[in-house]
Amino acid sequence: MNNFQKTGPIKPSFHKVPLKSGDSFSVRRDLRPHFESIWHYHPEMELHYTVKGTGVKFIGDNVSNFSDGDMIFLGPNLPHTWRCAEEFFQNDPGLHVEAIVLHFLPECFGKEFLSIPETALIRDFFEASKRGFLIKEPAKSVIVKLLNDSLESEGIDRVIIMVNILKQLINADKSNISDFSNHSPTIDIKMSLFDSIYTYALKNYNREISLDEIANHANMSISSFCRTFKVITKKTFVDFLIEIRVSNACRHLIEEDLDIQSVALKSGFNNLSNFYRQFKKIKGCTPLFYKNEYLNNLQNENKF
């Protein structure tokens, strides 16, 4: 029996980003057994560079993998979390995650800064970032160096580096992550429940999870659960579960030497034709094409 009670609509948890006294923005290096996994939002924009770690990221309505070298930029109040693969929760002292994370408010340099003609491109970038960005090479490598420099800098040097990061982000090759750009922090919540649903799905995605089972886990009726889940995520739980399975299939394809049928079974697909159909629907290509494209892109990135 779980301890969750009947509840109304659910939304992400508000997170207060810590900021040192006298600083206008925050940049830090995280080194820990695994990332914090609560689905949350904050008014600060976030640049998240995964130095080391693998798992599934949830950004707005997007479910996808993350791995070493991923760089994500998030606009204000965009719900998100990085949930590590299961091996990071096994208390293995030789396994850890590492990330460099930059947080700042849009007006961290003053509202007047964003009103001058020379910062028009920054304003446009901030507006577009409401859906989140995946940052690509070659700008990503330049930004990584700037982030490391920022960790060691103070005063005006730190400000100059920050402006240079913004310049690189504006000019970077990037793609949108989520269509979930209308999050309102005013909806009534029971965040621990929704985070529990995410955790349960990630731990059990490789077997059948009925609506009755997941609704019972949430201590809700099936109809109430389905309605609430779709209001918050803009998708059904079944679609959400398929996205988790496809994301994990992608990870198995690129990290393990398995045949396609083994990948399908390991990811929770008992029917091979259904696996191909769902994979192509979400990724727009076959599993083998995805693997080959990933390897080609990895070779190209290593050239930078």
Side-chain angles (χ1 to χ4, degrees):
M1 176 74 67
N2 61 54
N3 294 322
F4 297 116
Q5 303 299 315
K6 301 286 184 182
T7 183
I10 312 158
K11 73 163 191 178
S13 173
F14 175 79
H15 175 66
K16 176 65 175 175
V17 174
L19 188 66
K20 292 181 181 178
S21 177
D23 286 348
S24 56
F25 58 91
S26 165
V27 60
R28 70 177 193 270
R29 184 186 300 275
D30 289 340
L31 189 65
R32 57 185 66 172
H34 52 78
F35 293 134
E36 298 292 337
S37 57
I38 294 295
W39 199 51
H40 65 282
Y41 70 92
H42 42 70
E44 292 84 0
M45 296 184 167
E46 178 174 326
L47 180 62
H48 189 285
Y49 174 62
T50 302
V51 180
K52 179 180 175 59
T54 59
V56 178
K57 62 181 182 292
F58 302 89
I59 298 176
D61 60 356
N62 175 269
V63 180
S64 56
N65 286 332
F66 71 87
S67 57
D68 300 0
D70 274 10
M71 181 176 286
I72 302 295
F73 187 85
L74 305 174
N77 295 321
L78 180 58
H80 59 280
T81 188
W82 276 254
R83 196 178 294 276
C84 291
E86 279 303 306
E87 55 262 32
F88 288 91
F89 295 90
Q90 305 305 316
N91 297 319
D92 181 349
L95 197 61
H96 67 273
V97 297
E98 182 179 354
I100 303 177
V101 185
L102 169 68
H103 286 115
F104 65 96
L105 290 167
E107 63 275 12
C108 69
F109 295 143
K111 293 182 179 180
E112 293 78 9
F113 177 75
L114 291 178
S115 66
I116 61 176
E118 290 82 358
T119 60
L121 289 178
I122 297 179
R123 295 196 300 273
D124 293 343
F125 173 74
F126 285 174
E127 180 64 28
S129 72
K130 290 179 179 179
R131 296 169 60 191
F133 286 123
L134 173 66
I135 309 299
K136 305 175 183 179
E137 295 289 9
K140 182 172 72 172
S141 292
V142 178
I143 295 169
V144 170
K145 183 180 184 307
L146 290 169
L147 285 171
N148 280 295
D149 290 344
S150 181
L151 288 167
E152 306 297 328
S153 300
E154 297 179 349
I156 190 65
D157 290 335
R158 195 163 175 266
V159 173
I160 292 171
I161 292 171
M162 176 66 177
V163 174
N164 278 327
I165 289 174
L166 290 176
K167 179 182 177 182
Q168 291 296 327
L169 288 169
I170 290 168
N171 295 325
D173 182 12
K174 50 188 176 284
S175 57
N176 279 120
I177 298 174
S178 170
D179 290 325
F180 193 85
S181 58
N182 60 345
H183 170 62
S184 170
T186 59
I187 306 172
D188 189 25
I189 69 169
K190 187 71 173 179
M191 183 52 216
S192 58
L193 173 60
F194 199 67
D195 192 61
S196 172
I197 293 168
Y198 271 42
T199 301
Y200 194 84
L202 279 167
K203 286 184 176 180
N204 298 282
Y205 70 87
N206 56 354
R207 64 170 181 81
E208 188 65 31
I209 304 177
S210 68
L211 288 176
D212 182 67
E213 178 183 346
I214 192 65
N216 182 65
H217 175 76
N219 202 16
M220 302 170 74
S221 68
I222 293 178
S223 60
S224 178
F225 171 81
C226 290
R227 182 174 60 252
T228 301
F229 192 90
K230 191 164 187 178
V231 165
I232 300 304
T233 66
K234 315 302 181 188
K235 66 186 71 176
T236 67
F237 177 76
V238 172
D239 288 340
F240 171 75
L241 185 59
I242 290 172
E243 289 184 5
I244 290 178
R245 287 171 173 165
V246 169
S247 291
N248 279 278
C250 291
R251 190 163 65 89
H252 296 316
L253 283 167
I254 63 180
E255 294 181 0
E256 303 175 52
D257 186 20
L258 298 173
D259 59 71
I260 300 300
Q261 186 168 5
S262 296
V263 169
L265 290 172
K266 197 170 184 178
S267 304
F269 291 96
N270 295 322
N271 183 291
L272 189 59
S273 61
N274 183 45
F275 171 60
Y276 273 102
R277 183 169 60 254
Q278 298 296 348
F279 193 99
K280 191 168 186 179
K281 178 182 177 181
I282 293 174
K283 293 299 179 180
C285 62
T286 66
L288 185 58
F289 183 88
Y290 175 89
K291 181 174 184 175
N292 290 335
E293 280 293 287
Y294 176 86
L295 294 175
N296 289 336
N297 291 334
L298 188 63
Q299 289 178 347
N300 291 333
E301 285 195 3
N302 288 336
K303 294 178 182 178
F304 293 103

